[in-house]
Amino acid sequence: MTVSIDADVERAWLAECVRIAEKNVADGGGPFGALVVKDGEIVATGVNRVTPSLDPTAHAEVVAIRAACQALGSFSLAGCVLVSSCEPCPMCLASSLWARVDRVLYAADRDDAARAGFDDRAFYELFEHPRETWQTPVSRVSTPDHFAPFSAWLGRSDRIEY
């Protein structure tokens, strides 16, 4: 259930994301900041850690999601809002969907990011084309036991659905 939040509060969250993104740049990191809010309180923050961590998945939103899940002791962030200094890239957007956040807010958009040299538009556009046209081949090679991990999963009565 999405709760209506005062626009001034949302702007304050966005301003905090911009502030931590700018600080991250001053500290040698990328120009992105994010936070996760639950019940009006910030439960976690994240900044872009791609180059210092040598981790291409360490985008601010993913870092914030990971921290929020640890802080809340859950892999589900239902009831939370992901707030970002910039429009989430496709990976971060997918991560927010997997985390089950109620809502995503952002300040700058993909065009602003592109002007600064972070052009995620190519990824957005890539998903609109058939995989066989992609520069990086992505293909299935079926094996006789390809469903075995899923069978093992389905056979567990104690599995935690997500």
Side-chain angles (χ1 to χ4, degrees):
M1 178 169 105
T2 303
V3 177
S4 178
I5 301 292
D6 182 278
D8 289 335
V9 172
E10 290 177 347
R11 280 192 282 279
W13 295 339
L14 289 162
E16 177 62 8
C17 287
V18 169
R19 186 194 69 73
I20 64 174
E22 285 183 301
K23 182 179 182 319
N24 197 48
V25 170
D27 293 342
F32 303 95
L35 50 91
V36 175
V37 176
K38 183 169 180 136
D39 299 326
E41 299 294 323
I42 297 172
V43 295
T45 63
V47 293
N48 183 283
R49 303 280 308 145
V50 170
T51 56
S53 298
L54 305 177
D55 178 356
T57 68
H59 290 198
E61 297 90 342
V62 172
V63 172
I65 288 168
R66 290 173 181 163
C69 287
Q70 293 300 304
L72 296 172
S74 175
F75 58 82
S76 173
L77 296 179
C80 294
V81 178
L82 175 66
V83 187
S84 180
S85 63
C86 187
E87 181 177 4
C89 74
M91 176 185 69
C92 294
L93 188 55
S95 296
S96 69
L97 296 174
W98 273 111
R100 310 292 197 269
V101 298
D102 287 6
R103 215 160 44 112
V104 178
L105 300 174
Y106 60 89
D109 67 14
R110 65 182 80 173
D111 297 319
D112 296 320
R115 282 200 321 268
F118 296 90
D119 197 351
D120 297 336
R121 290 177 298 193
F123 297 118
Y124 285 101
E125 292 166 7
L126 177 68
F127 293 120
E128 296 174 3
H129 298 287
R131 284 186 182 176
E132 55 272 5
T133 66
W134 294 6
Q135 184 176 355
T136 303
V138 176
S139 55
R140 178 181 184 198
V141 177
S142 185
T143 62
D145 60 349
H146 69 271
F147 198 77
F150 297 115
S151 292
W153 170 255
L154 291 170
R156 291 195 63 111
S157 62
D158 63 342
R159 70 181 178 269
I160 299 172
E161 301 287 341
Y162 64 97

